[in-house]
């Protein structure tokens, strides 16, 4: 995961920096989320798209209500679309519509059409919910992928899944953007368990 480049325009740069500095997020009580996440995991094991969508909407609605904002509508779709050609083919995992506040999540890989792993799918859902919180709750209309954005998304994901939070280790790239160093992050013992 790589952060977006810092924008040039002053107002956009200010938004970017505010987002980058916001490294935590107020979390709602955990228990209902753990149950919803388990239901999502079971629906995925059965490859039940309709039930997956129900569970995703339950998670997105519960989190949105804790911020007193309207929830995004989540749609679960089949095989991930591919974009690009040749060696530059990328799969689209999910997206968030800045105007309609709709989240689309694809459940199957582009090539083998296999159901994606539970961890990847839940983490992608939390990423898209963070875009919604940025736009509707935090006044970050461009919802940049900043260091703070990835940190908030990670905190939310581990809270929903009930797994210990890892402290993300970042490397600075030559162009100034930051990239998560996964091997170093995975070696990190974490920050002492769950947050409430
Ligand atoms: Zn994103």
């Amino acid at each position: 995961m790589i952060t977006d480049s810092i924008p040039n325009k002053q107002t956009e740069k200010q938004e970017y920096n505010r987002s980058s500095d916001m490294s935590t997020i107020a979390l709602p009580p955990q228990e209902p989320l753990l149950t919803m996440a388990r239901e999502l995991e079971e629906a995925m094991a059965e490859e039940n798209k309709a039930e997956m969508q129900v569970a995703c909407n339950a998670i997105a609605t519960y989190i949105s209500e804790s911020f007193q904002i309207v929830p995004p509508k989540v749609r679960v779709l089949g095989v991930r679309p591919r974009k690009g050609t040749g060696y530059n083919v990328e799969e689209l995992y999910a997206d968030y519509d800045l105007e309609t506040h709709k989240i689309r999540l694809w459940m199957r890989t582009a090539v083998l059409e296999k159901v994606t792993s539970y961890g990847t799918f839940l983490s992608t859902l939390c990423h898209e919910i963070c875009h919604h919180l940025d736009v509707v709750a935090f006044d970050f209309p461009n919802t940049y992928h900043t260091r703070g954005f990835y940190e908030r998304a990670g905190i939310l994901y581990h809270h929903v899944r009930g797994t210990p939070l890892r402290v993300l280790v970042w490397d600075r790239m030559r162009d100034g953007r930051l990239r998560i160093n996964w091997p170093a992050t995975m070696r990190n013992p974490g920050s002492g368990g769950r947050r409430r």
Side-chain angles (χ1 to χ4, degrees), residues 46-117:
E46 294 163 5
E47 305 194 6
N48 186 331
K49 189 161 78 171
E51 287 300 319
M52 285 171 68
Q53 186 165 294
V54 169
C56 288
N57 277 290
I59 291 167
T61 299
Y62 179 75
I63 293 166
S64 299
E65 283 174 353
S66 80
F67 286 91
Q68 296 170 328
I69 60 169
V70 283
K73 283 249 176 346
V74 186
R75 278 189 71 199
V76 175
L77 298 158
V79 178
R80 288 179 196 148
R82 278 186 273 189
K83 46 180 186 179
T85 49
Y87 291 110
N88 286 318
V89 175
E90 261 184 62
E91 294 180 34
L92 184 60
Y93 283 48
D95 64 11
Y96 171 70
D97 189 306
L98 295 172
E99 263 142 45
T100 61
H101 308 310
K102 283 186 180 148
I103 290 172
R104 296 187 296 177
L105 281 167
W106 283 271
M107 63 182 275
R108 291 181 187 275
T109 60
V111 179
L112 297 174
E113 305 193 358
K114 286 230 159 74
V115 174
T116 177
S117 76

Side-chain angles (χ1 to χ4, degrees), residues 127-128 131 145 149:
H127 177 113
E128 302 306 327
H131 280 310
H145 297 107
F149 177 88

